[in-house]
Amino acid sequence: MSSKMPYKVLCVCLGNICRSPTAEVVLRHYCDENRLNVLVDSAGTSNYHPNKAPDERSQKHALKRGFDLSRLRARQLTINDFLEFDLILAMDHQNFDDIQQLMKKAMHQYEPHCIKAKIALMSEHDTQYPQQALPDPYYGEADGFERVLDQCESSSLAWVNVFQQQSNTNY
Ligand code: 4NP
């Protein structure tokens, strides 16, 4: 195990009960599998479901692929996250804009050098879903939850490729 500080990534959607918890667990799985020194967390731009476990449907579909979401609890994105995390991954374009708005507030409250975080789309480097939104499955059917998993797997592998090029993420 490296003594280096981990590279810290935060996955962000609206509610932090469907897309971003799925992204958190899938991205962590591929980072760990590739022995990357990356720490992954998730949050929501809203505070609709504070401290709630992920949506039962997200949990059920994820578990069928071997991903256990049961221990996660929802929380809202905070200004402090811009100081703590290196990379904030937005699940869709509205999330991206909302994250950027909060980052502007963070920049007013803190010196510019304190703000570590870069913002990107989850699908930024994904050639299968290039810069595409991760569609919100909350009001939809089972296929939406499967689509979230498909896209999280594909986009996570694309990020692993990017992290492998960054020497500070390797053990
Ligand atoms: P998520 O999905 O942003 O992927 O967690 C949603 C969860 C809850 C709500 C909307 C989207 N909601 O309106 O409560």
Side-chain angles (χ1 to χ4, degrees):
M1 178 91 158
S2 167
S3 58
K4 280 190 299 186
M5 294 282 281
Y7 185 75
K8 294 181 73 174
V9 181
L10 186 66
C11 302
V12 175
C13 63
L14 175 63
N16 194 210
I17 57 167
C18 296
R19 292 167 294 173
S20 61
T22 305
E24 174 186 340
V25 168
V26 172
L27 181 60
R28 180 183 298 125
H29 168 79
Y30 287 118
C31 286
D32 290 352
E33 190 176 77
N34 286 279
R35 297 183 53 74
L36 292 172
N37 189 20
V38 174
L39 187 149
V40 189
D41 191 8
S42 67
T45 55
S46 78
N47 201 27
Y48 294 162
H49 304 276
N51 233 21
K52 288 276 158 59
D55 187 287
E56 298 266 329
R57 298 163 295 171
S58 293
Q59 292 198 48
K60 185 185 87 183
H61 286 274
L63 203 55
K64 281 199 286 181
R65 300 192 192 195
F67 298 115
D68 181 3
L69 310 186
S70 64
R71 282 185 293 276
L72 305 188
R73 294 294 177 266
R75 72 169 180 91
Q76 189 172 24
L77 179 69
T78 67
I79 280 181
N80 197 53
D81 288 320
F82 296 95
L83 284 64
E84 280 287 316
F85 287 87
D86 298 290
L87 179 64
I88 298 184
L89 296 179
M91 300 299 117
D92 68 26
H93 300 84
Q94 182 64 55
N95 303 148
F96 189 100
D97 291 348
D98 292 343
I99 296 163
Q100 225 170 20
Q101 285 305 314
L102 193 61
M103 186 160 168
K104 281 188 194 148
K105 283 193 191 161
M107 282 170 161
H108 280 114
Q109 285 190 21
Y110 291 93
E111 296 291 320
H113 70 267
C114 297
I115 310 293
K116 282 208 298 186
K118 301 265 181 293
I119 311 173
L121 279 172
M122 181 70 189
S123 57
E124 187 79 29
H125 301 284
D126 189 342
T127 52
Q128 215 180 325
Y129 302 93
Q131 276 93 54
Q132 285 183 36
L134 198 51
D136 187 347
Y138 189 67
Y139 294 106
E141 307 292 332
D143 59 342
F145 290 87
E146 288 297 317
R147 163 75 186 257
V148 167
L149 281 153
D150 290 341
Q151 212 170 319
C152 281
E153 288 179 339
S154 174
S155 295
S156 293
L157 286 167
W159 277 110
V160 162
N161 269 326
V162 171
F163 298 153
Q164 282 171 331
Q165 315 298 318
Q166 292 176 208
S167 59
N168 62 328
T169 63
N170 295 315
Y171 282 121

